[in-house]
Amino acid sequence: MITSGDASSVALGLEIATGVSTLLGASYVARLVAPYSPSSKEIAFFGLLVAIAGFFSFSQNLVVDGFVTLPTLPSLPFSLPEIRLGLGEDIDTSIP
């Protein structure tokens, strides 16, 4: 949860961080698929994992704190069937 008083500066910072994570991820993917790269593939893969984690972290903060609103799905024109779950009401637990 973000507790800063200035929402516009926080939103801009999170948007920049999300974009940087996306660009870093793209560069690491390019290094992974390159036939020759001066660095080992494991380093690029680790960088890709860090970029993906950063992207999800920053984008989650954008959504959770209300800086970005997701569209809502329309309601279904029909009702879905209900499934009765067996919660153990029919089990005989008495000792014979």
Side-chain angles (χ1 to χ4, degrees), residues 1-80:
M1 194 59 99
I2 296 175
T3 58
S4 173
D6 188 11
S8 63
S9 68
V10 172
L12 178 62
L14 287 174
E15 290 167 355
I16 290 171
T18 303
V20 168
S21 294
T22 304
L23 292 175
L24 278 174
S27 71
Y28 286 126
V29 167
R31 289 171 73 185
L32 280 171
V33 297
Y36 172 76
S37 178
S39 63
S40 63
K41 302 292 183 184
E42 292 83 6
I43 295 172
F45 182 72
F46 178 70
L48 179 63
L49 289 178
V50 171
I52 289 171
F55 171 78
F56 282 114
S57 173
F58 296 131
S59 60
Q60 178 187 10
N61 284 334
L62 282 171
V63 172
V64 168
D65 292 327
F67 298 116
V68 175
T69 56
L70 298 177
T72 58
L73 296 174
S75 62
L76 296 174
F78 56 89
S79 63
L80 296 173

